[in-house]
Amino acid sequence: MGFLTDKRCLIVGLASKRSIAWGIAQAMAREGASTAFTYQNDKLKERVEQMANRLGSDICLPLDVAEDREIDAMFASLKKRWDTVDVIVHSVAFAPRDQLAGTYLESVTREGFAVAHDISSYSFAALAKAGRDMLPAGGALLTLSYLGALRSLPSYNVMGPAKASLEANVRFMAAELGPVGIRVNGISAGPIKTLASAGVSGIRKMLQHVQSTAPLRRNVTIEDVGNAAAFMCSDLAAGITGEILYVDAGFSTVGMSID
Ligand SMILES: NC(=O)c1ccc[n+]([C@@H]2O[C@H](COP(=O)([O-])OP(=O)(O)OC[C@H]3O[C@@H](n4cnc5c(N)ncnc54)[C@H](O)[C@@H]3O)[C@@H](O)[C@H]2O)c1
């Protein structure tokens, strides 16, 4: 019996087989969870439905997290299938492409800053606001962050402040939902080649740098992140909330690495 048996997990942010959400979905299904998915737009619908089917799920709902009415409609549709949802995974980020090229001050604009924070951070709180009535005691919320929340990194630019905001969201939501038994955590993943990270210029060099300097001398995979996410959302992690767990082969722990 898996450690997520009888848990119902809603996964927001599946786009491709490279998605971190796919690693998470597979680990959760393997541990016995029932899964439901959202897709951002019609272009992704069929692909997400096929991937959901592979995990035995026939719940795939449209959701653009920029739209409050789509969030409300998604939960209204989900409620027709499930009366409660134990786990909500938020694996979503976006910044306009011009925000991820050049230096921070060269690229950042008022509009780009607002969009990055709206889609990559506020949307986590928006899902919790709209979905909290469906979350029972023992429920868990999880989001995905990156080291750019704490440190400057080339080309990550406005996504750094957006991830810092997301991590603060984790702590404020954990404080508010903890008393009713709902946990809120984040995973800060090392770089992985996905559709989202392809927009960050220099991702290939970043992957090489991590591989040569991280204590484990490798990059992490969506399976590494998926396994950690399954644990964090399970009752095995019942004492953990407001936490950012690093799944980065130890990269963030190294102050200096000299060959
Ligand atoms: N890939 C990495 O190196 C890395 C490292 C650390 C953290 N992360 C984080 O992991 C999460 C998942 O990213 P990924 O790397 O798996 O890439 P991905 O492109 O596979 O996933 C990003 C998802 O965000 C969704 N999305 C974007 N805008 C949306 C909107 N308006 N409404 C609904 N959905 C929207 C996309 O549809 C997609 O499913 C992101 O939060 C990302 O910042 C990624």
Side-chain angles (χ1 to χ4, degrees), residues 12-24 38-41 44 47-48 62-67 70 90-95 115 118-120 123 143-148 156 159 163 166 187-198 200 203 206-207 220 222 225 247:
V12 178
L14 184 57
S16 80
K17 289 201 173 128
R18 288 176 179 261
S19 291
I20 290 176
W22 182 232
I24 294 174
T38 68
Y39 54 90
Q40 184 187 351
N41 51 40
L44 293 174
R47 193 194 298 162
V48 173
L63 176 63
D64 180 337
V65 296
E67 302 291 338
E70 288 206 18
H90 171 270
S91 188
V92 171
F94 177 76
V115 169
D118 183 20
I119 306 298
S120 313
S123 63
T143 189
L144 274 301
S145 190
Y146 183 54
L147 187 58
Y156 202 60
M159 280 306 301
K163 290 298 192 190
L166 178 67
I187 286 180
S188 184
I192 301 173
K193 223 168 147 196
T194 62
L195 292 176
S197 68
V200 179
I203 178 74
M206 283 165 77
L207 289 164
V220 294
I222 63 168
V225 180
V247 181

Side-chain angles (χ1 to χ4, degrees), residues 4-241:
L4 285 171
T5 298
D6 295 333
K7 298 277 191 196
R8 290 163 166 170
C9 304
L10 170 68
I11 295 168
V12 178
L14 184 57
S16 80
K17 289 201 173 128
R18 288 176 179 261
S19 291
I20 290 176
W22 182 232
I24 294 174
Q26 289 181 99
M28 289 188 165
R30 184 195 69 220
E31 294 304 330
S34 303
T35 50
F37 297 86
T38 68
Y39 54 90
Q40 184 187 351
N41 51 40
D42 285 346
K43 230 169 65 188
L44 293 174
K45 181 173 191 268
E46 200 179 319
R47 193 194 298 162
V48 173
E49 279 175 351
Q50 282 171 1
M51 293 167 81
N53 288 346
R54 277 185 52 184
L55 300 181
S57 170
D58 65 348
I59 310 180
C60 276
L61 304 166
L63 176 63
D64 180 337
V65 296
E67 302 291 338
D68 285 335
R69 60 189 160 72
E70 288 206 18
I71 295 176
D72 290 340
M74 186 276 293
F75 278 114
S77 301
L78 186 65
K79 203 155 189 157
K80 289 185 188 149
R81 302 293 304 274
W82 290 349
D83 51 348
T84 58
V85 58
D86 300 288
V87 171
I88 300 177
V89 175
H90 171 270
S91 188
V92 171
F94 177 76
R97 193 164 273 260
D98 66 338
Q99 300 293 293
L100 303 175
T103 67
Y104 177 59
L105 290 179
E106 268 167 18
S107 64
V108 72
T109 61
R110 194 180 296 276
E111 167 74 7
F113 192 94
V115 169
H117 282 68
D118 183 20
I119 306 298
S120 313
S121 177
Y122 174 71
S123 63
F124 187 41
L127 287 178
K129 268 163 87 87
R132 66 186 293 177
D133 290 346
M134 286 185 74
L135 282 156
L141 297 164
L142 183 81
T143 189
L144 274 301
S145 190
Y146 183 54
L147 187 58
L150 298 184
R151 308 211 190 139
S152 66
L153 293 153
S155 302
Y156 202 60
N157 296 350
V158 74
M159 280 306 301
K163 290 298 192 190
S165 159
L166 178 67
E167 293 189 4
N169 241 332
V170 167
R171 291 183 284 273
F172 276 77
M173 286 162 58
E176 183 169 348
L177 297 176
V180 293
I182 297 166
R183 299 181 300 107
V184 186
N185 291 294
I187 286 180
S188 184
I192 301 173
K193 223 168 147 196
T194 62
L195 292 176
S197 68
V200 179
S201 68
I203 178 74
R204 206 163 52 85
K205 282 190 184 154
M206 283 165 77
L207 289 164
Q208 283 166 355
H209 180 65
V210 169
Q211 176 152 1
S212 60
T213 53
L216 295 181
R217 293 291 190 274
R218 69 171 177 88
N219 281 285
V220 294
T221 63
I222 63 168
E223 287 76 24
D224 291 321
V225 180
N227 287 331
F231 158 72
M232 286 297 264
C233 293
S234 77
D235 295 340
L236 294 175
I240 304 175
T241 195

Side-chain angles (χ1 to χ4, degrees), residues 238-255:
I240 304 175
T241 195
E243 193 61 69
I244 305 296
L245 175 70
Y246 281 77
V247 181
D248 66 348
F251 179 77
S252 59
T253 66
V254 177

